[in-house]
Coordinates of all heavy atoms in Angstrom, one line a residue:
M1 N 6.2 -20.1 16.6 CA 6.2 -19.1 15.7 C 4.8 -18.6 15.3 O 4.0 -19.5 14.9 CB 7.1 -19.4 14.5 CG 7.2 -18.3 13.5 SD 8.4 -18.6 12.3 CE 7.9 -17.4 11.2
E2 N 4.6 -17.4 15.3 CA 3.2 -16.9 14.9 C 3.2 -16.9 13.4 O 4.1 -16.4 12.7 CB 3.1 -15.5 15.4 CG 1.7 -14.9 15.2 CD 1.6 -13.5 15.7 OE1 2.0 -13.2 16.9 OE2 1.0 -12.6 15.0
E3 N 2.0 -17.4 12.9 CA 1.8 -17.4 11.5 C 0.8 -16.3 11.0 O -0.1 -16.0 11.7 CB 1.2 -18.8 11.2 CG 1.0 -19.1 9.7 CD 0.5 -20.5 9.4 OE1 1.0 -21.4 10.0 OE2 -0.4 -20.6 8.6
T4 N 1.2 -15.7 9.9 CA 0.4 -14.5 9.4 C -0.3 -15.1 8.2 O 0.4 -15.4 7.2 CB 1.3 -13.3 9.1 OG1 2.0 -13.0 10.4 CG2 0.4 -12.2 8.7
A5 N -1.6 -15.1 8.2 CA -2.3 -15.6 7.0 C -2.5 -14.4 6.1 O -2.7 -13.2 6.5 CB -3.6 -16.2 7.4
N6 N -2.6 -14.6 4.8 CA -3.0 -13.5 3.8 C -2.2 -12.3 3.9 O -2.6 -11.3 4.2 CB -4.5 -13.2 3.9 CG -5.4 -14.4 3.7 OD1 -5.0 -15.2 2.9 ND2 -6.5 -14.5 4.4
V7 N -0.8 -12.5 3.8 CA 0.1 -11.4 3.8 C -0.4 -10.4 2.8 O -0.7 -10.7 1.6 CB 1.5 -11.8 3.4 CG1 2.4 -10.7 3.3 CG2 2.0 -12.8 4.5
K8 N -0.5 -9.1 3.2 CA -0.9 -8.1 2.2 C -0.1 -6.8 2.5 O -0.5 -6.0 3.3 CB -2.4 -7.8 2.3 CG -2.9 -6.9 1.2 CD -2.7 -7.5 -0.2 CE -3.2 -6.5 -1.2 NZ -2.8 -6.8 -2.5
I9 N 1.0 -6.6 1.9 CA 1.8 -5.5 2.0 C 1.2 -4.5 1.0 O 0.8 -4.8 -0.1 CB 3.3 -5.7 1.6 CG1 3.9 -6.8 2.5 CG2 4.2 -4.4 1.6 CD1 4.0 -6.5 3.9
T10 N 1.1 -3.2 1.3 CA 0.6 -2.2 0.6 C 1.7 -1.0 0.4 O 2.6 -1.0 1.2 CB -0.7 -1.6 1.1 OG1 -0.4 -1.0 2.4 CG2 -1.8 -2.6 1.3
K11 N 1.4 -0.2 -0.6 CA 2.4 0.9 -0.9 C 2.5 1.9 0.2 O 3.5 2.6 0.4 CB 2.1 1.5 -2.2 CG 2.4 0.7 -3.4 CD 2.4 1.5 -4.7 CE 1.1 2.2 -5.0 NZ 1.1 2.8 -6.3
D12 N 1.5 2.0 1.0 CA 1.5 3.0 2.0 C 2.1 2.5 3.4 O 2.2 3.3 4.3 CB 0.1 3.6 2.3 CG -0.9 2.5 2.8 OD1 -0.7 1.4 2.5 OD2 -1.9 2.9 3.5
M13 N 2.4 1.3 3.5 CA 3.0 0.7 4.6 C 4.5 1.2 4.8 O 5.2 1.4 3.8 CB 3.0 -0.8 4.6 CG 1.7 -1.4 4.8 SD 1.6 -3.2 4.7 CE 2.2 -3.6 6.3
L14 N 4.9 1.4 6.0 CA 6.3 1.9 6.3 C 7.2 0.8 6.2 O 6.9 -0.4 6.6 CB 6.3 2.5 7.7 CG 5.5 3.8 7.9 CD1 5.7 4.3 9.3 CD2 5.7 4.9 6.9
I15 N 8.4 1.0 5.6 CA 9.4 0.0 5.5 C 9.8 -0.6 6.9 O 9.8 -1.9 7.1 CB 10.8 0.6 4.9 CG1 10.5 1.1 3.5 CG2 11.9 -0.4 4.9 CD1 10.2 0.0 2.5
G16 N 9.9 0.2 8.0 CA 10.2 -0.3 9.2 C 9.1 -1.2 9.8 O 9.5 -2.2 10.4
D17 N 7.9 -0.9 9.6 CA 6.8 -1.8 10.0 C 6.8 -3.1 9.3 O 6.6 -4.2 9.9 CB 5.4 -1.1 9.8 CG 5.2 0.1 10.7 OD1 5.9 0.2 11.7 OD2 4.3 0.9 10.4
I18 N 7.1 -3.1 8.0 CA 7.2 -4.3 7.2 C 8.4 -5.2 7.8 O 8.3 -6.4 8.0 CB 7.4 -4.0 5.7 CG1 6.2 -3.3 5.2 CG2 7.7 -5.2 4.9 CD1 6.3 -2.7 3.8
L19 N 9.5 -4.6 7.9 CA 10.7 -5.3 8.5 C 10.4 -5.9 9.8 O 10.9 -7.0 10.1 CB 11.9 -4.4 8.5 CG 12.5 -4.0 7.1 CD1 13.6 -2.9 7.3 CD2 13.0 -5.2 6.4
R20 N 9.7 -5.2 10.7 CA 9.4 -5.7 12.0 C 8.4 -6.9 12.0 O 8.5 -7.9 12.6 CB 8.9 -4.6 12.9 CG 10.0 -3.8 13.5 CD 9.5 -2.8 14.5 NE 8.7 -1.7 13.9 CZ 9.3 -0.7 13.2 NH1 10.6 -0.6 13.1 NH2 8.5 0.3 12.8
A21 N 7.4 -6.8 11.1 CA 6.4 -7.9 11.0 C 6.9 -9.0 10.2 O 6.6 -10.2 10.5 CB 5.2 -7.2 10.3
Y22 N 7.8 -8.8 9.2 CA 8.3 -9.8 8.3 C 9.8 -9.7 8.1 O 10.2 -9.1 7.1 CB 7.6 -9.8 6.9 CG 6.1 -9.7 7.0 CD1 5.4 -8.5 6.8 CD2 5.4 -10.8 7.4 CE1 4.0 -8.5 6.9 CE2 4.0 -10.8 7.5 CZ 3.3 -9.7 7.2 OH 2.0 -9.6 7.3
P23 N 10.6 -10.1 9.1 CA 12.1 -9.9 8.9 C 12.7 -10.4 7.6 O 13.6 -9.8 7.1 CB 12.6 -10.6 10.1 CG 11.5 -10.7 11.1 CD 10.2 -10.8 10.3
Q24 N 12.1 -11.4 7.0 CA 12.6 -12.0 5.8 C 12.5 -11.0 4.7 O 13.1 -11.2 3.6 CB 11.9 -13.3 5.6 CG 10.5 -13.3 5.2 CD 9.5 -13.3 6.3 OE1 9.7 -12.7 7.3 NE2 8.4 -14.0 6.1
S25 N 11.6 -10.0 4.9 CA 11.4 -9.1 3.7 C 12.7 -8.2 3.5 O 12.8 -7.7 2.4 CB 10.3 -8.1 4.0 OG 10.5 -7.3 5.1
M26 N 13.6 -8.3 4.4 CA 14.8 -7.5 4.2 C 15.5 -8.0 2.9 O 16.0 -7.2 2.1 CB 15.8 -7.7 5.4 CG 17.2 -7.3 5.3 SD 18.3 -7.6 6.6 CE 18.4 -9.4 6.6
Y27 N 15.6 -9.4 2.7 CA 16.2 -9.9 1.5 C 15.6 -9.5 0.3 O 16.1 -9.2 -0.7 CB 16.3 -11.5 1.7 CG 17.0 -11.9 2.9 CD1 16.4 -12.4 4.0 CD2 18.4 -11.7 3.1 CE1 17.0 -12.7 5.2 CE2 19.1 -12.0 4.2 CZ 18.4 -12.6 5.3 OH 19.0 -12.9 6.5
A28 N 14.2 -9.5 0.3 CA 13.4 -9.2 -0.9 C 13.7 -7.7 -1.3 O 13.8 -7.4 -2.5 CB 11.9 -9.5 -0.6
L29 N 13.7 -6.8 -0.3 CA 13.9 -5.4 -0.5 C 15.3 -5.2 -1.1 O 15.4 -4.4 -2.1 CB 13.7 -4.6 0.7 CG 12.3 -4.4 1.2 CD1 12.2 -3.9 2.6 CD2 11.5 -3.5 0.3
M30 N 16.3 -5.9 -0.7 CA 17.6 -5.7 -1.1 C 17.7 -6.3 -2.6 O 18.3 -5.7 -3.5 CB 18.7 -6.4 -0.3 CG 18.8 -5.6 1.0 SD 20.3 -6.2 2.1 CE 19.8 -7.9 2.5
E31 N 17.0 -7.4 -2.9 CA 17.0 -7.9 -4.2 C 16.3 -7.0 -5.2 O 16.7 -6.9 -6.4 CB 16.2 -9.3 -4.2 CG 17.0 -10.4 -3.6 CD 16.2 -11.7 -3.5 OE1 15.1 -11.8 -4.1 OE2 16.7 -12.6 -2.8
C32 N 15.4 -6.2 -4.7 CA 14.7 -5.1 -5.6 C 15.5 -3.9 -5.8 O 15.1 -3.1 -6.5 CB 13.4 -4.8 -4.8 SG 12.2 -6.1 -4.8
G33 N 16.7 -3.8 -5.1 CA 17.5 -2.6 -5.3 C 17.4 -1.6 -4.1 O 17.9 -0.5 -4.3
M34 N 16.8 -2.0 -3.0 CA 16.6 -1.1 -1.9 C 17.7 -1.5 -0.8 O 17.2 -2.0 0.2 CB 15.2 -1.1 -1.3 CG 14.2 -0.4 -2.3 SD 12.8 0.0 -1.4 CE 11.5 -0.4 -2.7
G35 N 18.9 -1.3 -1.2 CA 20.0 -1.8 -0.1 C 20.1 -0.9 1.0 O 20.9 -1.3 2.0
C36 N 19.5 0.1 1.1 CA 19.7 1.1 2.2 C 18.6 0.9 3.3 O 18.4 1.9 4.1 CB 19.7 2.5 1.7 SG 18.1 3.1 1.0
I37 N 18.0 -0.2 3.4 CA 17.0 -0.4 4.4 C 17.5 -0.3 5.8 O 16.7 -0.2 6.7 CB 16.3 -1.8 4.2 CG1 17.3 -3.0 4.2 CG2 15.5 -1.8 2.9 CD1 16.7 -4.3 4.2
G38 N 18.8 -0.4 6.1 CA 19.3 -0.2 7.3 C 19.4 1.2 7.8 O 19.6 1.6 8.9
C39 N 19.2 2.1 6.8 CA 19.3 3.5 7.1 C 18.1 4.0 7.9 O 17.0 3.6 7.7 CB 19.3 4.4 5.7 SG 19.0 6.1 5.9
P40 N 18.4 4.7 9.1 CA 17.3 5.1 9.9 C 16.1 5.8 9.1 O 15.0 5.6 9.5 CB 17.9 6.1 10.9 CG 19.4 5.7 10.9 CD 19.7 5.2 9.5
A41 N 16.5 6.7 8.2 CA 15.4 7.3 7.5 C 14.5 6.4 6.7 O 13.3 6.7 6.6 CB 16.0 8.3 6.5
S42 N 15.0 5.3 6.2 CA 14.2 4.3 5.5 C 13.1 3.7 6.3 O 12.1 3.3 5.9 CB 15.1 3.3 4.8 OG 15.5 2.4 5.8
Q43 N 13.4 3.6 7.6 CA 12.4 3.0 8.5 C 11.0 3.7 8.6 O 10.0 3.1 8.9 CB 13.0 2.9 9.9 CG 14.2 2.2 10.0 CD 14.1 0.7 9.5 OE1 13.4 -0.1 10.1 NE2 14.8 0.4 8.5
A44 N 11.1 5.0 8.3 CA 9.8 5.8 8.3 C 9.3 6.2 6.9 O 8.4 7.0 6.8 CB 10.1 7.1 9.1
E45 N 9.9 5.5 5.9 CA 9.5 5.8 4.5 C 8.4 4.7 4.2 O 8.5 3.5 4.6 CB 10.6 5.7 3.5 CG 11.3 6.9 3.4 CD 12.4 6.7 2.2 OE1 13.0 5.7 2.2 OE2 12.5 7.7 1.5
S46 N 7.4 5.1 3.4 CA 6.5 4.1 2.8 C 7.2 3.4 1.7 O 8.2 3.9 1.1 CB 5.2 4.8 2.3 OG 5.5 5.6 1.1
V47 N 6.6 2.3 1.3 CA 7.1 1.6 0.2 C 7.1 2.5 -1.1 O 8.1 2.5 -1.9 CB 6.3 0.2 -0.1 CG1 6.8 -0.5 -1.3 CG2 6.5 -0.7 1.1
A48 N 6.0 3.1 -1.3 CA 5.9 4.0 -2.4 C 7.0 5.1 -2.4 O 7.6 5.3 -3.4 CB 4.5 4.7 -2.5
D49 N 7.2 5.7 -1.3 CA 8.3 6.8 -1.2 C 9.7 6.2 -1.5 O 10.5 6.7 -2.2 CB 8.3 7.5 0.1 CG 7.0 8.4 0.3 OD1 6.4 8.7 -0.7 OD2 6.7 8.7 1.5
A50 N 9.9 5.0 -0.8 CA 11.3 4.4 -1.1 C 11.4 4.0 -2.5 O 12.5 4.1 -3.0 CB 11.4 3.2 -0.1
A51 N 10.4 3.4 -3.1 CA 10.5 3.0 -4.5 C 10.8 4.2 -5.4 O 11.7 4.2 -6.3 CB 9.2 2.3 -5.0
M52 N 10.1 5.3 -5.1 CA 10.2 6.5 -5.9 C 11.7 7.1 -5.8 O 12.4 7.4 -6.8 CB 9.3 7.7 -5.5 CG 9.4 8.9 -6.3 SD 8.3 10.1 -5.7 CE 8.9 10.5 -4.1
V53 N 12.3 7.0 -4.6 CA 13.7 7.6 -4.3 C 14.7 6.6 -5.1 O 15.6 7.2 -5.7 CB 14.0 7.5 -2.9 CG1 15.5 7.7 -2.6 CG2 13.2 8.6 -2.1
H54 N 14.4 5.4 -5.3 CA 15.2 4.5 -6.0 C 14.9 4.3 -7.5 O 15.5 3.5 -8.1 CB 15.3 3.1 -5.3 CG 15.9 3.2 -4.0 ND1 17.2 3.2 -3.8 CD2 15.4 3.2 -2.7 CE1 17.5 3.2 -2.5 NE2 16.4 3.2 -1.8
G55 N 13.9 5.1 -7.9 CA 13.6 5.0 -9.4 C 12.9 3.6 -9.7 O 13.0 3.1 -10.8
L56 N 12.2 3.0 -8.7 CA 11.5 1.8 -8.9 C 10.0 1.9 -8.9 O 9.4 2.9 -8.5 CB 11.9 0.8 -7.8 CG 13.5 0.5 -7.7 CD1 13.8 -0.2 -6.4 CD2 14.0 -0.2 -8.9
D57 N 9.3 1.0 -9.5 CA 7.9 0.9 -9.5 C 7.3 0.3 -8.1 O 7.5 -0.8 -7.9 CB 7.5 0.1 -10.7 CG 5.9 0.1 -10.9 OD1 5.2 -0.1 -9.8 OD2 5.5 0.4 -12.0
G58 N 6.6 1.1 -7.4 CA 6.1 0.7 -6.1 C 5.2 -0.6 -6.2 O 5.2 -1.4 -5.3
D59 N 4.4 -0.6 -7.3 CA 3.5 -1.7 -7.5 C 4.3 -3.0 -7.7 O 3.9 -4.0 -7.1 CB 2.6 -1.5 -8.7 CG 1.6 -0.4 -8.4 OD1 1.1 -0.3 -7.3 OD2 1.3 0.4 -9.4
D60 N 5.4 -2.9 -8.4 CA 6.3 -4.1 -8.6 C 6.9 -4.5 -7.3 O 7.0 -5.8 -7.0 CB 7.4 -3.8 -9.6 CG 6.8 -3.7 -11.1 OD1 5.7 -4.1 -11.3 OD2 7.6 -3.1 -11.9
I61 N 7.3 -3.6 -6.5 CA 7.9 -3.9 -5.2 C 6.9 -4.6 -4.3 O 7.2 -5.6 -3.7 CB 8.5 -2.6 -4.5 CG1 9.5 -1.9 -5.4 CG2 9.0 -2.9 -3.1 CD1 10.7 -2.7 -5.6
V62 N 5.7 -4.0 -4.2 CA 4.6 -4.6 -3.4 C 4.3 -6.0 -3.8 O 4.2 -6.9 -3.0 CB 3.4 -3.7 -3.4 CG1 2.2 -4.4 -2.8 CG2 3.7 -2.4 -2.6
K63 N 4.1 -6.2 -5.1 CA 3.9 -7.6 -5.6 C 5.0 -8.5 -5.2 O 4.7 -9.7 -4.8 CB 3.7 -7.5 -7.1 CG 3.3 -8.8 -7.8 CD 3.2 -8.7 -9.3 CE 2.9 -10.1 -9.8 NZ 3.1 -10.3 -11.2
Y64 N 6.3 -8.1 -5.4 CA 7.3 -9.0 -5.1 C 7.4 -9.3 -3.6 O 7.6 -10.5 -3.2 CB 8.7 -8.4 -5.6 CG 9.8 -9.3 -5.4 CD1 9.9 -10.5 -6.2 CD2 10.8 -9.1 -4.5 CE1 11.0 -11.4 -6.0 CE2 11.9 -10.0 -4.3 CZ 11.9 -11.1 -5.2 OH 13.0 -11.9 -4.9
L65 N 7.2 -8.3 -2.8 CA 7.3 -8.5 -1.3 C 6.2 -9.5 -0.9 O 6.4 -10.4 -0.1 CB 7.0 -7.2 -0.6 CG 8.2 -6.2 -0.4 CD1 7.8 -4.9 0.1 CD2 9.3 -6.9 0.5
N66 N 5.0 -9.3 -1.4 CA 3.9 -10.2 -1.0 C 4.2 -11.7 -1.5 O 4.0 -12.6 -0.7 CB 2.5 -9.8 -1.5 CG 2.0 -8.7 -0.8 OD1 1.9 -8.7 0.4 ND2 1.6 -7.6 -1.4
E67 N 4.7 -11.8 -2.7 CA 5.0 -13.2 -3.1 C 6.1 -13.8 -2.4 O 6.1 -15.0 -2.0 CB 5.4 -13.1 -4.6 CG 4.2 -12.8 -5.5 CD 4.6 -12.5 -6.9 OE1 5.8 -12.5 -7.3 OE2 3.7 -12.4 -7.8
Y68 N 7.2 -13.0 -2.0 CA 8.3 -13.4 -1.4 C 8.0 -13.9 0.1 O 8.4 -14.9 0.6 CB 9.4 -12.3 -1.3 CG 10.8 -12.7 -0.7 CD1 11.8 -13.1 -1.6 CD2 11.0 -12.7 0.6 CE1 13.0 -13.5 -1.1 CE2 12.2 -13.2 1.1 CZ 13.3 -13.4 0.3 OH 14.5 -13.8 0.7
I69 N 7.3 -13.1 0.8 CA 6.8 -13.4 2.1 C 5.9 -14.6 2.2 O 6.1 -15.5 3.0 CB 6.1 -12.1 2.8 CG1 7.2 -11.0 3.0 CG2 5.5 -12.5 4.1 CD1 6.6 -9.7 3.4
E70 N 5.0 -14.6 1.3 CA 4.1 -15.8 1.2 C 4.9 -17.1 1.0 O 4.6 -18.1 1.6 CB 3.1 -15.6 0.1 CG 2.0 -16.7 0.1 CD 0.9 -16.5 -0.9 OE1 0.5 -15.3 -1.2 OE2 0.5 -17.4 -1.7
A71 N 5.8 -17.0 0.0 CA 6.6 -18.2 -0.3 C 7.5 -18.6 1.0 O 7.7 -19.8 1.3 CB 7.5 -17.9 -1.5
S72 N 8.1 -17.6 1.7 CA 8.9 -18.0 2.8 C 8.1 -18.5 4.0 O 8.6 -19.5 4.7 CB 9.7 -16.7 3.2 OG 9.0 -15.8 3.7
Q73 N 6.9 -18.0 4.1 CA 6.0 -18.6 5.2 C 5.6 -20.0 4.8 O 5.5 -20.9 5.7 CB 4.8 -17.7 5.4 CG 5.2 -16.4 6.1 CD 4.0 -15.5 6.3 OE1 3.0 -15.6 5.6 NE2 4.0 -14.6 7.2
K74 N 5.3 -20.2 3.6 CA 4.9 -21.6 3.1 C 6.1 -22.6 3.3 O 5.9 -23.7 3.8 CB 4.5 -21.6 1.7 CG 4.0 -22.9 1.1 CD 3.6 -22.7 -0.3 CE 3.0 -24.1 -0.8 NZ 2.5 -24.0 -2.2
E75 N 7.3 -22.1 3.0 CA 8.5 -22.9 3.2 C 8.7 -23.2 4.7 O 9.1 -24.4 5.1 CB 9.7 -22.2 2.6 CG 11.0 -23.0 2.6 CD 12.2 -22.2 2.0 OE1 12.0 -21.9 0.8 OE2 13.1 -22.0 2.7
E76 N 8.5 -22.3 5.6 CA 8.6 -22.5 7.0 C 7.6 -23.5 7.5 O 8.0 -24.3 8.3 CB 8.4 -21.2 7.8 CG 9.5 -20.2 7.6 CD 9.3 -18.8 8.3 OE1 8.3 -18.8 9.1 OE2 10.1 -18.0 8.1
R77 N 6.4 -23.4 7.0 CA 5.3 -24.4 7.4 C 5.7 -25.8 7.0 O 5.6 -26.7 7.6 CB 4.0 -23.9 6.9 CG 3.4 -22.8 7.6 CD 2.0 -22.6 7.2 NE 1.7 -22.4 5.8 CZ 1.7 -21.2 5.3 NH1 2.0 -20.1 5.9 NH2 1.5 -21.0 3.9
T78 N 6.1 -25.9 5.7 CA 6.5 -27.2 5.1 C 7.7 -27.8 5.8 O 7.7 -28.9 6.2 CB 6.8 -27.0 3.6 OG1 5.7 -26.4 3.0 CG2 7.1 -28.4 3.0
G79 N 8.6 -26.9 6.2 CA 9.9 -27.4 6.9 C 9.5 -27.9 8.3 O 10.1 -28.8 8.9
A80 N 8.6 -27.2 9.0 CA 8.1 -27.5 10.3 C 7.4 -28.8 10.3 O 7.4 -29.5 11.3 CB 7.3 -26.4 10.9
E81 N 6.7 -29.2 9.2 CA 5.9 -30.5 9.2 C 6.8 -31.6 8.9 O 6.5 -32.7 9.3 CB 4.8 -30.3 8.1 CG 3.8 -29.3 8.3 CD 2.9 -29.1 7.2 OE1 3.0 -29.7 6.1 OE2 2.0 -28.2 7.3
G82 N 7.9 -31.4 8.2 CA 8.7 -32.5 7.7 C 9.8 -32.9 8.7 O 10.3 -33.8 9.1

């Protein structure tokens, strides 16, 4: 499995690109209230645009995504070692 160091999701990144690079982000987005990530239109929306549509703070979403992905990658590394 390819390891990505220093995950850095930004508000201008497209939801579809994030999901392809970090499939586990699907769960984080749904936890944030973005349950429509399977919608084809959402794939071409930036995090900022999607957050605005859902009445959410884009900065909060980005922070949560980065923390969630970093934690899941750390967990994967730890599990692979043990």
Side-chain angles (χ1 to χ4, degrees):
M1 179 170 163
E2 185 178 317
E3 187 175 315
T4 306
N6 299 325
V7 176
K8 187 62 178 167
I9 303 296
T10 62
K11 288 193 301 186
D12 63 330
M13 292 178 73
L14 300 180
I15 298 292
D17 292 342
I18 295 168
L19 291 170
R20 281 185 288 284
Y22 309 104
Q24 69 272 39
S25 66
M26 171 183 67
Y27 302 108
L29 288 166
M30 289 191 299
E31 288 175 8
C32 292
M34 290 196 220
C36 64
I37 56 173
C39 170
S42 73
Q43 301 301 299
E45 276 187 318
S46 68
V47 173
D49 290 340
M52 183 181 65
V53 167
H54 291 283
L56 302 169
D57 184 312
D59 291 323
D60 290 343
I61 301 296
V62 166
K63 180 179 179 196
Y64 186 70
L65 278 171
N66 282 309
E67 290 172 355
Y68 189 97
I69 293 167
E70 184 178 322
S72 68
Q73 288 178 339
K74 184 176 182 178
E75 187 176 300
E76 286 175 8
R77 286 191 301 272
T78 303
E81 294 171 359

